[in-house]
Amino acid sequence: MKSNTLILHTAALFIMPLQLMFSVFLLLRGHDEPGGGFIGGLVAASAFVLYAFAFGSEPTRRILRVAPRDLLAAGLLFAIASTIPAFLAGQPMLTAHWWELPLPGGSYLKLSTPLIFDIGVYAAVLGTIMTFVINLMESDE
């Protein structure tokens, strides 16, 4: 389902980067505020779906650079990996752990297992939706 309208092509090229930036904002804001990996993944998927409607499935596969099924698998691996620190510490599964990594200038980068889990959910949601959409588009073509 490729559209040949100039308006849709232009809108897709303009809106897609904004949607992807907003999806990363939602991902990083997510654990304690509204947002997170699921809604961030949905917003990212909607950006790629808009691109797919404008340009077709093959250009969308190229711009993704990773097969959607691989994104899904990587997301599941990240989600599972977020349980490892709790397992190694002898705590219940999905117990949150935080780390502060020093940065130049005296500031710190805060990382946590909930963020790793949310990144996994983000990738899994994006991979799942894009697998469905691209396969449906290719079966229609």
Side-chain angles (χ1 to χ4, degrees):
M1 177 178 148
K2 182 181 171 192
S3 173
N4 288 322
T5 66
L6 178 63
I7 294 173
L8 183 58
H9 285 201
T10 305
L13 292 174
F14 178 73
I15 293 173
M16 185 181 180
L18 298 175
Q19 281 184 287
L20 291 174
M21 286 188 294
F22 185 60
S23 75
V24 172
F25 168 76
L26 288 171
L27 168 68
L28 296 176
R29 180 178 185 241
H31 188 67
D32 294 325
E33 300 283 334
F38 186 78
I39 191 66
L42 287 176
V43 171
S46 70
F48 285 107
V49 168
L50 175 63
Y51 190 88
F53 286 169
F55 296 102
S57 61
E58 193 54 41
T60 305
R61 282 188 183 277
R62 282 194 305 269
I63 201 167
L64 269 172
R65 297 181 186 216
V66 177
R69 287 185 181 159
D70 293 344
L71 271 176
L72 170 58
L76 293 175
L77 286 174
F78 265 80
I80 291 170
S82 71
T83 66
I84 294 172
F87 175 75
L88 294 176
Q91 297 174 326
M93 188 172 161
L94 294 175
T95 299
H97 288 257
W98 286 266
W99 304 278
E100 289 186 356
L101 302 176
L103 295 175
S107 60
Y108 290 91
L109 175 64
K110 294 183 179 181
L111 296 177
S112 65
T113 54
L115 177 62
I116 296 169
F117 183 80
D118 279 343
I119 290 170
V121 171
Y122 180 96
V125 168
L126 177 58
T128 301
I129 292 175
M130 292 315 299
T131 298
F132 288 149
V133 170
I134 288 175
N135 286 339
L136 284 173
M137 290 180 75
E138 288 175 348
S139 70
D140 192 35
E141 294 171 358

